[in-house]
Amino acid sequence: MRLLNALHGPADDAYAVTVAGETLSRHELLGRAAALAAELGGVPMAAVHAAPGMPAVVAVTAGLLAGVPVVPVPPDAGEVERAHVLRDSGAAVVLSDDPAAAGESGLPVVPVSRTGHGTVPGEPAAETPALVLYTSGTTGPPKGVVLSRAAIAADLDALAGAWQWTGGDTLVHGLPLYHVHGLVLGVLGALRTGSRLVHTGRPTPEAYAGARGSLYFGVPTVWSRICADPGAARALRGARLLVSGSAALPVPVFDDLVALTGQAPVERYGMTETLITVSARADGDRRPGHVGVPLDGVRTRLVGDTGEPVPADGASIGHLQVRGATMFDGYLRPDGSAEAPLTDGWYATGDVATIGPDGWHRIVGRASTDLIKTGGYRVGAGEVEDALLLHPAVREAAVVGTPHPDLGEQVTAFVVADGRPAAGELIAFVAGKLAAHKRPRAVHLVAELPRNAMGKVQKSRLR
């Protein structure tokens, strides 16, 4: 089966993709991509200027048709970041209609928009690398994550089963085209399942409300803004599924979506290295603060600090490890090879979680920033953040551990609030909701929280 098998349907079928107002049928998209793919013969790696528009979708599709690994480059990348990605990946060309897309790298820029059609190449081997996505770690420059065609296909098929995602759906989102969420799920997913795709350019409440889709993707920031616009939220009542990912969805936002749209959102968990591995089901429970159960073909487990098993009792926090067909091939090496850092086939995600007896997962957060070891207790930052968000004055909250001479770490909160509630008031409020050792010992009121392009709070900057 072809990775993008839905592209090869009848020429007269419904449109495949609308991006920022431009629409192409499956036949038109396949023709444009095949024409570009014909020029990529012998190219070892192709970078794509991943601005939110049809050229990026055509360029990625062309690379996949040609069997050439694609490296999406964020359109707002600074010169240092762009230079690192282009140099480290070994990209030989940049696919873009913008002549300046290669920056100062000196790489040739190959125009994407063109007339004519090309011959569709044969399907590359399943183990062929499809994408190299750059992800930032805790130290050093971003690393290239190598994802095979087989891993992407396995993940999209598992998600299609879990979400009952079919060619009858219309998928709507406005997420960046250089991450797993917006590109792999949000574009390649539609081209594999055959669903229509409406990419709104930007994920605004107005754009989502006007798209009239059956399936919507968003990050917590998007859903929070939609809930702040009740008219836009109510316009989504006709949707079949609202999916949230890329960061934890605050429980108050979950509850607001239920009240305004009439349905609970589906949450899922994954990362660039593993793709999506855990999710709620379309026909199953939706539990606030939880991300569901492993997808078909995926296994998970919890281990302690020294590798000992942690019980799946719904309360014990452990380091989450995963294995399965959706795993990456590894981080790109200078010689172009890659090898995944596995232990007996298991990948250490760097996240801490609980797993209930029924298999439901709750992600506590990153072990490095969201697991706070204070006075002999292990406190999950997300639980404290959810408690703070229940206070009527609190709009946003981020909790980290900061050094403490007696406790080792103390629970410290950064809060965006209406008015200026006293720190003591917020501390007492959390103490009334959670165990006493989970209350913040310090609260800082801030104008805003630092976030990345996907809406994740950058807690390292708070520290």
Side-chain angles (χ1 to χ4, degrees), residues 198-234:
V198 177
H199 189 284
T200 59
R202 296 180 60 245
T204 64
E206 298 80 10
Y208 273 42
R212 303 298 179 184
S214 62
L215 179 61
Y216 285 80
F217 290 169
V219 298
T221 301
V222 171
W223 295 123
S224 177
R225 291 173 180 171
I226 286 174
C227 288
D229 185 340
R234 294 189 185 100

Side-chain angles (χ1 to χ4, degrees), residues 7 11 13 73 117 129 162 246 276 312 338:
L7 270 183
D13 65 356
V73 181
H117 293 71
S246 297
I276 308 307

Side-chain angles (χ1 to χ4, degrees), residues 371-445:
L371 181 61
I372 304 169
K373 299 178 181 179
T374 176
Y377 294 100
R378 295 157 69 92
V379 176
E383 186 179 16
V384 184
E385 291 162 358
D386 283 340
L388 282 165
L389 288 169
L390 295 174
H391 190 283
V394 175
R395 290 191 287 116
E396 298 180 70
V399 170
V400 298
T402 56
H404 189 277
D406 179 46
L407 300 171
E409 287 185 302
Q410 68 176 8
V411 179
T412 300
F414 294 82
V415 172
V416 179
D418 297 322
R420 294 195 63 82
E425 175 188 348
L426 297 178
I427 292 170
F429 181 81
V430 174
K433 302 289 183 183
L434 305 175
H437 68 269
K438 297 180 180 179
R439 72 188 187 281
R441 290 179 175 265
V443 174
H444 304 286
L445 296 178

